[in-house]
Amino acid sequence: MRFNTIRLLRGLSIGVMSTSACWTYAEVEEDSRFWFNLTMEGKLAKESRIGWYAELQPRLKEEGREHDQTIIRPAVNYWVSDRASIWLGYADVRTHTAQGSNHEQRWWQQFMYTFPPTSNGIVITSRTRLEQRNFDTGHDTGHRVRQLVRAIKKIEGKESLSWLLWDELFVSTRSTDWGAMSGFDQNRAFAGVAWQAAQNARLEIGYVNQYVRGHEFDRMNHVLSTSLFLRF
């Protein structure tokens, strides 16, 4: 049983990380990057179904030598049940490019559901997010769908450590005057570990393969991702 579980996780990891390659249609430029994520969340009251959420993400590019992006993402959520929740949020995104910097303001909504554990102890979560994107470099509103599937399983003999895999597909529903192209936008695949440091603190560290569709060339970023989650 243990062998089958490891083989399943390994197969899923290889599968999600190769998904991006299927979209290749142009020259691919590669880079090594670092992403940091601080997430805080809690309930408005002890017995309340309404919660709050805040996320801060600084990102570095060019092998960590240059500032790439900073994302501030607050939200509120409503827990329909212990496993299902609906969300409404906003994101302030500042990005540095070769042409200068740009500012994106983004409204988003999402539905998240966590399935009961499988017989092997694997917990799968699905997150479907809709985004409305506006840039200071154009007038159009871009619309994007993001679908994430996440699988986590405790490491045998290590109660506080878990294997963690996830994959997220991004699809734009329309082209815009600021550069979005209708169709496949990007794919992110993650493989790493999660450490439950305390009841209200979790650290996730791993590798993200980010494949981004471009106008003149595609981009594949190799990302070392570190995320700290705090629950209040």
Side-chain angles (χ1 to χ4, degrees), residues 18-31:
S18 62
T19 300
S20 305
C22 298
W23 300 93
T24 304
Y25 76 101
E27 180 184 355
V28 178
E29 185 174 283
E30 299 188 44
D31 186 25

Side-chain angles (χ1 to χ4, degrees), residues 61 96-100:
K61 62 181 179 180
H96 299 274
T97 69
Q99 293 74 38

